[in-house]
Amino acid sequence: DESRNALHCIGAELVYRNQSGICITDYEKISVELRALILRTKPDLILIHSQFDTHQEHKYLRDIVMTASRRVPCSIFSYKSVSVTVGYQENLYININKYIDKKIEYVRMHKSQRGHVYMSEESIRLFHVSWFAKMRANDYIESFYAEQIIG
């Protein structure tokens, strides 16, 4: 419900499995289902977890998405999360100065996560500040790594 409510605010629809968690034994089944969804919806862009994410389910999901979307003509960007290692390198920066307050509002809709320090307004703002952004007159940026770009 938290994800559905947050996505509704940006006009997106939540598509999900009615199961909790991902097991390595689910890999093939989820990959087939996800590939069917990708082929049906024909996205221009897929956002995925970084290869440097340390959360086990994030790692599984990233691998599943990469497998399911191979040979699909769309761009794929990985994003930074609070569980990435220092190996994460961004190469694409989006100015979100106008959107940071809304992002904070939508992220904080995940009430079940409020106990985590990274869900505080201060942490969310700091997460989106970088030297790269500051040197280019941006207060807040969303950073990505372009895995593949299809124009």
Side-chain angles (χ1 to χ4, degrees), residues 95-116:
N95 176 337
I96 63 166
N97 290 343
K98 295 188 300 190
Y99 308 104
I100 189 69
D101 293 328
K102 283 291 183 192
K103 178 164 187 178
I104 291 167
E105 177 185 341
Y106 299 157
V107 167
R108 298 202 67 213
M109 290 177 135
H110 292 82
K111 294 176 181 160
S112 64
Q113 302 296 309
R114 282 203 181 149
H116 298 290

Side-chain angles (χ1 to χ4, degrees), residues 1-14 105-107 109-111:
D1 288 340
E2 294 168 342
S3 293
R4 183 182 294 108
N5 292 339
L7 289 169
H8 176 75
C9 292
I10 62 169
E13 176 188 355
L14 176 64
E105 177 185 341
Y106 299 157
V107 167
M109 290 177 135
H110 292 82
K111 294 176 181 160

Side-chain angles (χ1 to χ4, degrees), residues 25-70:
T25 55
D26 297 332
Y27 190 102
E28 183 64 28
K29 180 182 178 208
I30 297 170
S31 183
V32 168
E33 292 170 358
L34 188 57
R35 182 156 179 78
L37 175 67
I38 290 168
L39 292 173
R40 186 173 69 252
T41 59
K42 298 177 177 65
D44 295 324
L45 172 64
I46 296 175
L47 301 176
I48 61 171
H49 297 286
S50 164
Q51 66 177 328
F52 297 100
D53 199 309
T54 59
H55 188 290
Q56 193 63 43
E57 289 182 348
H58 295 177
K59 292 167 76 84
Y60 285 154
L61 187 57
R62 176 201 162 72
D63 287 347
I64 291 168
V65 171
M66 290 300 285
T67 299
S69 63
R70 68 183 185 278

Side-chain angles (χ1 to χ4, degrees), residues 132-147:
F132 188 89
K134 288 293 188 186
M135 295 307 293
R136 287 150 183 88
N138 289 304
D139 291 324
Y140 302 104
I141 54 114
E142 193 77 56
S143 65
F144 301 91
Y145 177 78
E147 303 277 344

